[in-house]
Amino acid sequence: MSDKKVVFSGVQPTGNVHLGNYLGAFKNWVDKQDEKVNYFCVVDLHSLTVPQDPDELRHQTRSLTAWLIAVGLDPNKVTLFVQSHVRAHAEGCWLLNCVTPLGWLHRMTQYKDKAAKQESVLTGLLDYPVLMAGDIIFYDADEVPVGEDQKQHVELTRDIANRFNHLYGQDFFVVPEPVIPEVGARVMGLDNPNAKMSKSSAHIRGHAVRLEDDPKEILRSFKKAKTDSFGEIAFSKDPERAGVNNLLGIYKAITDKSFEDVEADFRDARGYGDLKVGVAEVVIDAIRPLQENYNRLMNDPAELDRVLAQGAQQAAAVSNPKVDAMKEIMGLIVPNA
Ligand code: AMP
Ligand code: TRP
């Protein structure tokens, strides 16, 4: 067995993939794909916890998979798959439901926030973190790279893994650690630099740069970006200057330059207009080849299906036996075991 760390992360196919997803998550996954054993999952079952249009969900599942490959994930290096293609996830979730106290789920802040906004709350929404826990522990994952908002769910995953190990008297599950990127990895909304760029606000013009936006649209969004009246192009922690800081942060993440070099690039700028155009240009140049890759993949559904079948097979080979072993431990008869 390899002693490389196992990494698992998931992302919902809810559309509007944006620069924050790319710089805060996907780009890091690509950069680290040679170091560890990686599983990246398009979590379509999680998306069903709120009502979805069936055709749209299918489209978004393919689209997100294509984006993940387009930005550089190599399906021959990582296991890239769709959650519902591997039976362990939904099946194992039931088994975990039967060791997870309801009170733990009622305490989840994301559930409370989401439920408060809905008239009729689905059981799946409450159960969402148990499904997520299974995603992670059925692969013996050591590390879970996620945004701050998912930290509580990974902590719950640890509690569930520990409880199962305690109840059944074995070190059956690996207890995973959340890996949260530094604050610098957060891309903020261009229209409101004090709120993070998010899929749910991506329909608001000038909020997000979506990976599918054309160059004109990207330039327009940056030109409208909120700045301040200080007139100084420098990194800053001052909330009043968050807009300029965000623009510089995007430029830094795209170009992989140091703080000093980023500021030096704008030393001769004639104000924020130059800054906005400068940032827009590096973003447009970085996104163009990704869009070409994306379009090529979306025009070749057979190739996408082949990649997904390969990913599902690799994932199933790990998680299905794990869930079968759980069944056995919990007292179920596993056929042909
Ligand atoms: P979501 O868009 O919430 O489905 O998140 C998918 C992935 O992108 C997660 O790993 C998030 O942490 C990351 N992510 C989402 N929005 C941002 C953002 N504005 N800045 C940095 N990372 C983000
Ligand atoms: N709940 C996560 C989100 O909405 C997505 C997710 C599902 C996930 N399963 C996971 C993330 C397992 C990390 C590991 O962003």
Side-chain angles (χ1 to χ4, degrees):
M1 251 185 64
S2 130
D3 49 11
K4 281 188 181 175
K5 294 270 187 214
V6 177
V7 178
F8 191 104
S9 200
V11 54
Q12 290 195 52
T14 36
N16 287 327
V17 179
H18 55 70
L19 201 58
N21 298 131
Y22 174 54
L23 295 176
F26 307 166
K27 192 166 178 285
N28 299 331
W29 298 354
V30 172
D31 292 346
K32 299 231 164 75
Q33 65 184 333
D34 290 312
E35 281 172 33
K36 306 186 177 173
V37 177
N38 293 286
Y39 296 91
F40 296 117
C41 185
V42 175
V43 292
D44 54 349
L45 297 174
H46 274 104
S47 293
L48 291 177
T49 57
V50 293
Q52 298 286 340
D53 175 78
D55 287 331
E56 180 63 13
L57 178 58
R58 261 186 292 274
H59 167 73
Q60 292 301 347
T61 299
R62 291 177 167 281
S63 165
L64 178 59
T65 308
W67 274 122
L68 291 172
I69 301 170
V71 301
L73 281 186
D74 179 348
N76 293 316
K77 290 185 180 164
V78 305
T79 300
L80 175 62
F81 70 107
V82 172
Q83 189 183 32
S84 66
H85 292 182
V86 179
R87 69 167 168 86
H89 294 260
E91 208 176 295
C93 178
W94 178 258
L95 304 178
L96 293 180
N97 279 337
C98 298
V99 298
T100 306
L102 193 52
W104 290 5
L105 301 182
H106 279 298
R107 279 204 292 276
M108 294 294 110
T109 53
Q110 190 179 73
Y111 169 74
K112 288 194 265 188
D113 290 349
K114 285 193 185 174
K117 289 183 196 140
Q118 293 171 23
E119 255 175 53
S120 160
V121 177
L122 301 174
T123 307
L125 190 68
L126 179 66
D127 203 27
Y128 173 120
V130 180
L131 183 63
M132 175 164 164
D135 296 343
I136 299 166
I137 62 183
F138 301 154
Y139 295 86
D140 291 338
D142 302 289
E143 297 177 4
V144 187
V146 279
E148 187 68 40
D149 60 320
Q150 296 296 321
K151 195 171 169 212
Q152 195 184 30
H153 292 159
V154 182
E155 275 155 9
L156 180 83
T157 303
R158 293 170 58 85
D159 290 341
I160 293 174
N162 277 321
R163 184 169 168 97
F164 188 95
N165 289 345
H166 176 73
L167 284 174
Y168 292 98
Q170 336 188 1
D171 283 332
F172 183 74
F173 284 125
V174 172
V175 181
E177 299 280 347
V179 179
I180 316 283
E182 315 124 43
V183 191
R186 252 180 156 214
V187 177
M188 311 308 281
L190 297 182
D191 58 340
N192 173 9
N194 293 309
K196 83 170 192 173
M197 188 179 283
S198 80
K199 287 175 182 166
S200 53
S201 303
H203 62 281
I204 301 168
R205 277 199 125 183
H207 168 79
V209 172
R210 295 176 308 164
L211 295 190
E212 66 186 32
D213 287 347
D214 64 37
K216 263 199 217 137
E217 174 108 33
I218 297 176
L219 185 61
R220 196 179 316 128
S221 299
F222 276 107
K223 281 192 170 164
K224 281 202 301 193
K226 190 156 185 287
T227 49
D228 55 56
S229 52
F230 292 93
E232 192 192 344
I233 303 181
F235 286 99
S236 163
K237 291 202 166 62
D238 181 350
E240 301 272 320
R241 300 192 190 194
V244 170
N245 192 61
N246 188 37
L247 293 174
L248 290 172
I250 291 172
Y251 184 91
K252 181 178 185 303
I254 293 267
T255 59
D256 273 327
K257 289 189 179 182
S258 67
F259 288 102
E260 296 74 32
D261 287 349
V262 170
E263 289 177 359
D265 281 355
F266 292 103
R267 199 151 292 144
D268 298 327
R270 285 160 300 144
Y272 291 156
D274 280 3
L275 169 67
K276 291 174 175 182
V277 172
V279 179
E281 278 170 358
V282 294
V283 169
I284 290 166
D285 284 348
I287 286 184
R288 188 176 293 121
L290 310 185
Q291 291 180 338
E292 287 166 9
N293 294 342
Y294 172 81
N295 291 331
R296 204 175 39 245
L297 285 157
M298 288 302 276
N299 286 324
D300 189 355
E303 170 60 9
L304 211 51
D305 282 347
R306 192 195 61 74
V307 169
L308 285 179
Q310 173 186 312
Q313 201 182 12
Q314 285 168 3
V318 177
S319 54
N320 289 348
K322 187 84 181 177
V323 167
D324 286 345
M326 259 177 98
K327 288 183 178 172
E328 181 77 33
I329 294 174
M330 294 175 85
L332 306 182
I333 295 171
V334 181
N336 307 320

